[in-house]
Amino acid sequence: MIDKKDLLFLFATFILLSSCSNKIWQLQSNEAMVNKIADCKADNKILKYVIWKTNFVKLTKSLENASSLNDKFGKPIIIDIPTTDNTLMAFKIYVAETMNPELAKQFPELKSYMGNAVADNSIKIRIDTNPKGFHALITSSYEQWLVEPICAEKSKDYYFSFLKGDVKSTREPFNEKR
C-alpha cells in the first residue's frame, strides 16, 4: 500500500520531470498562425506546410553542444527536427566546419551542422543557423523536406516544415533572351 508521503514524492517527481522537458519544438495550428504570416513577403509560395514554434535561443544553445564531425572521439547530440506529418524525428547532429577558420572567427553567428536520423541512417540532414534563423534540409530516399523561418524579420521562433515539391516559385523563370 502506498502511503501519502510516497504518493506526494511521486507527484512532486512527476511535476519536476515535466517542467524539465527538453522539448524544443511545438506544433502550431495553421489557422491560429494566419495573422503572424500575413505580412511576410516570400519569393515562393508554399502550397502545403506544417507550422512549428521553437525557442531559437534554446535551439541554437542545444546545437552548440554538438561535436565536430572531424573529432574522432566526439559524440553527436540528439535533437528532434519537425517533419511534414505533424511529428518530430530524432537526428544525430555534428558540427560541420564549412568555412575557413579565419572566416569562421569573423562571422561566429554563421554555423553549419550535418547528421543522420537516429532511426534510419540513410536520412540525411544539413542545418545552418544565422541571423535570419534556423534552416534545415532533410533528404531521404523518397523525399526532401525543409524547415524554414516563417518571418525571421518578426520572429525566429516560428517555422514552416514542408516538402520541397510543395513550393511554387513566384519568380519569373530565367530567360536569356531579355
Side-chain angles (χ1 to χ4, degrees), residues 56-85:
F56 180 71
V57 174
K58 184 177 178 182
L59 176 61
T60 54
K61 290 282 184 206
S62 296
L63 289 167
E64 286 176 6
N65 294 320
S67 296
S68 170
L69 192 59
N70 299 326
D71 181 357
K72 65 180 178 179
F73 298 111
K75 295 189 179 192
I77 61 163
I78 306 297
I79 192 165
D80 289 334
I81 300 295
T83 68
T84 59
D85 65 358

Side-chain angles (χ1 to χ4, degrees), residues 2 10 24 48 65 69 75 105 119 127 140-141 147 158 165-167 171 173 175:
I2 297 177
L10 288 172
I24 294 177
K48 185 178 173 190
N65 294 320
L69 192 59
K75 295 189 179 192
K105 284 180 192 173
I127 296 171
S140 75
S141 59
V147 179
Y158 292 94
D166 286 337
V167 177
R171 295 181 188 170
N175 184 346

